[in-house]
Amino acid sequence: GAVVSQHPSRVICKSGTSVKIECRSLDFQATTMFWYRQFPKQSLMLMATSNEGSKATYEQGVEKDKFLINHASLTLSTLTVTSAHPEDSSFYICSATTGTPGNTIYFGEGSWLTVV
Amino acid sequence: GENVEQHPSTLSVQEGDSAVIKCTYSDSASNYFPWYKQELGKGPQLIIDIRSNVGEKKDQRIAVTLNKTAKHFSLHITETQPEDSAVYFCAASIGSARQLTFGSGTQLTVLP
């Protein structure tokens, strides 16, 4: 079936640096990708919706200048956490869909970010 | 916006028993209701979904029911096995191409 791949699965970075997480749809064209954040033992919180070739739509309370999202192709979206701080440490998960009504949303395996 | 409530937050059952997890949603326009299983440290895995034109759907040991009038849907797992232990999330959206609103999750533990 359809597969969504995230990379890296785990990353540790120093405070103040930036880190990029990639989300790829491996066998379908994802017109829409979603980025979520999940804290331990909590649910998934939508951060932003990314449509190929256009600017991402951010949820209320999510800083667009801190969490840069790029969806330059139909198979790749990237999330860059800029000037990372320890409170940005979290599990980041992407999902992707073809955008066709009736199609399924597929999730990536997630990326653990630890800011030290 | 949409609000999805999920109960219970934790559920323990004996191996072989059934497990039921319930969710309610607020937006009557929602028409797509997937269920996800999430194991520790991994992304959510779709286990079953239902659309608003269907009242029930079954896939082997897993079934989902939807009551549009009451705006609630439930996940039923029969003949539970220890490998069913995980966190289960319900979600709702208006169309499967739109963003999902997730429930708070249920930690299911199947005791051997």
Side-chain angles (χ1 to χ4, degrees):
Chain A
V3 177
V4 175
S5 174
Q6 271 186 251
H7 178 80
S9 57
R10 290 183 178 274
V11 58
I12 300 173
C13 71
K14 292 184 178 181
S15 287
T17 63
S18 296
V19 60
K20 179 184 289 186
I21 300 170
E22 295 185 345
C23 178
R24 296 182 183 271
S25 57
L26 298 184
D27 57 0
F28 67 99
Q29 293 186 325
T31 56
T32 305
M33 289 185 171
F34 306 96
W35 286 95
Y36 293 84
R37 186 174 182 177
Q38 186 179 32
F39 291 107
K41 298 188 178 182
Q42 293 189 23
S43 189
L44 287 77
M45 297 302 296
L46 180 66
M47 298 175 66
T49 301
S50 169
N51 291 299
E52 186 267 336
S54 63
K55 290 184 177 181
T57 301
Y58 290 81
E59 295 300 299
Q60 190 173 7
V62 178
E63 299 176 61
K64 62 180 180 180
D65 293 331
K66 179 170 186 61
F67 299 99
L68 301 179
I69 292 172
N70 184 279
H71 191 167
S73 78
L74 285 171
T75 59
L76 173 65
S77 177
T78 60
L79 167 68
T80 301
V81 182
T82 63
S83 187
H85 293 286
E87 56 265 31
D88 297 325
S89 299
S90 187
F91 191 46
Y92 293 88
I93 310 169
C94 73
S95 66
T97 177
T98 62
T100 302
N103 276 18
T104 303
I105 297 175
Y106 297 96
F107 280 82
E109 284 296 308
S111 299
W112 285 101
L113 169 63
T114 302
V115 184
V116 298
Chain B
E2 174 67 281
N3 181 48
V4 177
E5 294 191 357
Q6 183 172 345
H7 300 281
S9 56
T10 60
L11 178 61
S12 293
V13 299
Q14 289 293 139
E15 182 176 359
D17 288 350
S18 296
V20 179
I21 303 171
K22 299 182 179 181
C23 288
T24 60
Y25 61 100
S26 61
D27 192 337
S28 58
S30 290
N31 57 8
Y32 177 64
F33 308 93
W35 285 89
Y36 291 89
K37 175 183 181 182
Q38 187 177 29
E39 297 178 342
L40 189 63
K42 296 185 177 181
Q45 177 188 8
L46 179 70
I47 56 172
I48 196 167
D49 58 8
I50 192 168
R51 302 177 195 277
S52 59
N53 58 345
V54 175
E56 184 174 359
K57 184 177 179 181
K58 188 175 182 180
D59 181 5
Q60 299 182 340
R61 297 187 295 110
I62 296 173
V64 56
T65 59
L66 171 65
N67 183 325
K68 283 188 63 179
T69 303
K71 290 192 283 189
H72 66 69
F73 55 112
S74 300
L75 177 71
H76 304 252
I77 305 175
T78 59
E79 300 174 25
T80 54
Q81 302 166 3
E83 51 265 39
D84 293 329
S85 297
V87 178
Y88 290 81
F89 290 99
C90 63
S93 74
I94 302 173
S96 62
R98 303 281 295 275
Q99 59 261 39
L100 296 166
T101 299
F102 282 85
S104 54
T106 297
Q107 173 69 62
L108 172 65
T109 303
V110 180
L111 304 170

